[in-house]
Amino acid sequence: MENRTARMTFLIDPRKKQLFEEICSQQDLTSSQVVRRLIHQYILEHAGSRELPGWLTTPAASPKTQ
C-alpha cells in the first residue's frame, strides 16, 4: 500500500452504504480496503495509453494483510 494517503469524500445512498458495509464485514474487509481495490482496478482498466508507475502495476498484497 502507498505510504501517503489522501481523503476522498463522496455521497452514497444510506441503504447501499449499509449493505456494502455488511458485505465487507462478512469478508473480513473494511469498506476502505474494498474501495481502494475498486479504484486500483478501475485505473488499470481505464488508463488507456497512459504510462502507469510501477507501484501501481505490481501485484498488490492481499487486502487482509494490508
Side-chain angles (χ1 to χ4, degrees):
M1 180 155 78
E2 296 84 18
N3 293 330
R4 301 178 76 190
T5 59
R7 183 173 307 274
M8 179 181 276
T9 303
F10 59 94
L11 300 176
I12 185 171
D13 178 279
R15 297 169 299 174
K16 289 178 186 171
K17 179 181 182 285
Q18 179 65 36
L19 183 57
F20 178 69
E21 289 176 338
E22 288 173 12
I23 294 168
C24 290
S25 179
Q26 289 172 351
Q27 296 178 343
D28 196 28
L29 296 168
T30 66
S31 56
S32 291
Q33 288 172 312
V34 175
V35 169
R36 284 192 296 269
R37 184 189 305 169
L38 292 169
I39 291 171
H40 181 263
Q41 189 62 38
Y42 185 87
I43 291 170
L44 293 178
E45 290 177 4
H46 296 89
S49 61
R50 288 178 183 84
E51 185 173 336
L52 298 176
W55 56 263
L56 187 66
T57 58
T58 55
S62 169
K64 292 184 180 181
T65 62
Q66 291 182 352

